[in-house]
Amino acid sequence: MKHSSTDQNVTFLHTSDFQLGMHRRFLDGDAGARFEESRLLAIEKLGELAQQEGCAFILVAGDVFDDNSLERRTLDRALETMQSLPVPVYLLPGNHDPLVADSIFFSARELTNIHVIDNNTPQEVADGVELVGAPLLVKNPDHDLVAAALEGLKPTSAIRVMVGHGQVESYGDEIKPDLIDLNCVETALASGTIDYLALGDTHSTASLGTTGKVWFSGAPETTDFHKLTDWGFPTDGGETDSGNALVVSITKPATHPVQQAEVSVVKHAIGQWQFHALQPELDDAATVDGFLNYLHSYDNKRRTVVKYYLHGALSLTDTMRLERELADLRPSFGALYESRSSPGLNLQPEADELENLDVSGYARAALEELLNDADHDYAARDGAHLLFRLTKEARR
């Protein structure tokens, strides 16, 4: 479409779910510090991207903070980072940081570059551009806040962007009263009442419905695991596409200003971290090699977390080699660990492994008993590993 110089247009950056102050129990020591710093660096990158793309403002669709009780140091660093961004920042309270009596957002109200969306009244944020919010005033709303904000709104010649936080469908059998009615939203889009709905809550980037005008931006930095198969082939599980921000451009024709706007959405990678959940099946030395080689292939190990679910059956020798090399790799990663829900490996000693062991009597009987129980008892498996290793080392 060729645009007239009198067309209404705006470009802005849509992001959400910073959850500043979030801690991950599997990130110890300096890895936790790197993770915290990376979340602030992601916000700085949002500012750089907004400036590069000519954005008029940055819109954060909820869960700016992990909760309403943060360490003062964390809050001050977060506010200073957002205040220093090159364009105005509009923050929507979400379910992690609702606008309640002790809301953390009250600390931001006196800052000139940060604007808290505290009601659903349309506000002009640029020439001919309105913003309508659906802020969470309680942690668990009892109705559809987006639908409530749309009530009474009429089609407009201005560009009108709406921002909400929540889901459009329930997961499982739970009936949630606050689900966003996507049909209601699409009716408002078709009539020119709104031109785009910016959503937060889901941490993966996703377009909803059929219009291309309703999006989850996803979190700008990874927060949870993407489930992968043996050697990195993705599944549909977990946080599948986080670490992004959306540059949104909207044009509304001057000749028919109430009709549907033209909307362009471009995804940009922002984040540095990746959390992967691997499910390798190991049954011989070759599969152990494949798993270890895959771990070695990660480029940015310092900002990579790998949780693995081991299953299969290995000899004692292959099991010990696997454990030794995983221990050697572990310091290179942000975190590298076996999930508590991992099925674990079955021990299947080869005949020559047991025959060549210089162990007899009670020790031999103990090892055989541990091996018999290792398939269903983690303590027995660990005990068998230890006894086998000590026996091997004693022979050197």
Side-chain angles (χ1 to χ4, degrees), residues 209-229:
T210 60
T211 64
K213 301 177 182 180
V214 182
W215 283 78
F216 282 118
S217 65
E221 187 57 86
T222 296
T223 62
D224 209 345
F225 287 92
H226 184 186
K227 296 179 182 177
L228 306 175
T229 56

Side-chain angles (χ1 to χ4, degrees), residues 11 83 92 107 134 151 185 211 220-221 236 312 321 328 343 367 375 383:
T11 297
Q83 174 68 8
L92 182 81
S107 300
E151 287 183 11
V185 171
T211 64
E221 187 57 86
D236 292 331
R321 179 169 70 91
D328 289 343
L367 177 59
D375 289 353

Side-chain angles (χ1 to χ4, degrees), residues 357-359 386-396:
L357 281 179
D358 185 16
V359 60
L386 177 60
L387 185 53
F388 181 75
R389 185 172 71 248
L390 291 174
T391 303
K392 295 274 285 185
E393 289 174 353
R395 294 179 60 195
R396 293 175 182 171

